[in-house]
Amino acid sequence: MSNTIVLLLSIGSPAMVVAMIAAHGLRESKDAYTGVVTGRGVRSSTGTYGPTGRYMVHIRTDEGRELSIEVNARTYRSLAVGDRVVKEWGRRWPERSD
């Protein structure tokens, strides 16, 4: 009986973490908006494996919402303050509007 409990606990915890990460990614891809980049920045921290950077973009949507979004390095480099952006449903990050 106790071996079954240990087995369930050892499998259940990693499965919950994976489910939480997947749910976060799905929530990001379901959002859609247009707006303007109002700021950007990099948050750095040093961990066990060395320095890491989190690329942040601040957006004011056309509906008036203020968003702070963590993006990948490629998206961060492609956007500047004042750029119009479009975030389409199903996409992970916003893109510059043409």
Side-chain angles (χ1 to χ4, degrees):
M1 176 80 173
S2 65
N3 289 339
T4 304
I5 292 172
V6 170
L7 179 64
L8 289 174
L9 289 175
S10 65
I11 294 172
S13 296
M16 286 177 33
V17 170
V18 169
M20 288 178 4
I21 291 170
H24 180 69
L26 288 174
R27 184 176 61 241
E28 288 176 348
S29 67
K30 289 184 179 180
D31 201 10
Y33 53 83
T34 58
V36 176
V37 177
T38 58
R40 31 180 263 152
V42 179
R43 294 182 185 165
S44 298
S45 63
T46 303
T48 305
Y49 301 106
T52 58
R54 295 176 56 203
Y55 300 96
M56 303 298 293
V57 176
H58 307 285
I59 297 172
R60 181 182 312 114
T61 67
D62 293 343
E63 293 81 28
R65 290 190 304 165
E66 297 285 337
L67 306 174
S68 293
I69 302 167
E70 184 175 348
V71 297
N72 63 1
R74 182 174 155 239
T75 301
Y76 179 81
R77 286 190 298 269
S78 72
L79 299 176
V81 174
D83 283 351
R84 293 259 331 138
V85 293
V86 174
K87 163 64 174 65
E88 296 176 349
W89 189 91
R91 295 204 181 253
R92 179 116 191 229
W93 295 296
E95 297 176 347
R96 189 170 17 163
S97 176
D98 293 327

